[in-house]
């Protein structure tokens, strides 16, 4: 899903780089297979290939969201 999201962002924009995230920030919605804090992050440069990685962040909803943004931005650097 996150790979399709990031690729679609490039197709439908004038951007040269894109990032997409999806996951379960909580407090509910987690399952044994995908617990709260499970987040997929993908990045892609125009003309390149998407790269996706799964992360497991700890904390409440706000902490998971902050960690997701920080990790996604660090990946762009």
């Amino acid at each position: 899903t996150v790979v399709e999201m990031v690729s679609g962002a490039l197709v439908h924009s004038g951007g040269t780089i894109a990032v997409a995230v999806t996951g379960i920030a909580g407090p509910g919605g987690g399952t044994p297979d995908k617990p709260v804090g499970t987040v997929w992050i993908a990045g892609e440069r125009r003309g390149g290939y998407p790269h996706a990685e799964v992360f497991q962040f700890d904390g409440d909803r706000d902490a998971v969201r902050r960690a997701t943004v920080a990790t996604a931005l660090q990946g762009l650097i």
Side-chain angles (χ1 to χ4, degrees), residues 26-51:
T31 67
D33 291 336
K34 289 189 253 178
V36 169
T38 303
V39 176
W40 281 89
I41 301 175
E44 184 178 356
R45 293 184 187 279
R46 187 169 299 282
Y49 296 98
H51 171 78

Side-chain angles (χ1 to χ4, degrees), residues 1 3 13 20 35 48-50 66 68 70 72:
T1 298
V3 168
S13 74
Y49 296 98
R66 281 193 318 261
T68 299

Side-chain angles (χ1 to χ4, degrees), residues 2 10 19-20 22 25-26 30 35 37-38 44 48-49 55 57 61-62 64 67 69-71 75-76:
V2 78
L10 285 177
V19 65
T22 188
T38 303
E44 184 178 356
Y49 296 98
F55 296 88
F57 299 121
R61 180 178 180 82
D62 190 50
V64 170
V69 170
T71 302
L76 290 175

